[in-house]
Amino acid sequence: MKPIAEIADEYERNLVPLRQRRDALREQAKAEPSAERRIRLWHRVGMLDGMIADGVSAIRAMRGDRRGK
């Protein structure tokens, strides 16, 4: 069984591609001329933001840091 610290490190590594994807979608949304497509892209950006925030919260919980956000 893996120690909590190792699991937290894995969670943190898994957030890197999510952040990269979110940033790429954000840039794509800014350049998108179609309003419908732009709205869908911003929706995906928001979903990824939520996933990232949940991951960061889980990492903090695993590491015992529940003081700040």
Side-chain angles (χ1 to χ4, degrees), residues 31-67:
E32 179 58 49
S34 165
E36 286 182 37
R37 183 147 167 77
R38 196 169 48 246
I39 290 168
R40 285 196 306 266
L41 289 168
W42 281 115
H43 179 71
R44 282 197 233 160
V45 168
M47 288 175 47
L48 287 170
D49 275 337
M51 292 169 64
I52 292 166
D54 289 346
V56 168
S57 178
I59 291 167
R60 287 188 173 142
M62 284 185 252
R63 292 185 174 150
D65 180 18
R66 298 298 288 174
R67 290 169 286 166

Side-chain angles (χ1 to χ4, degrees), residues 9-26:
D9 291 342
E10 284 181 28
Y11 264 62
E12 199 160 9
R13 283 191 301 272
N14 290 335
L15 290 179
V16 171
L18 286 177
R19 286 183 176 116
Q20 291 171 340
R21 179 68 178 146
R22 178 202 56 199
D23 294 344
L25 286 174
R26 185 178 286 147

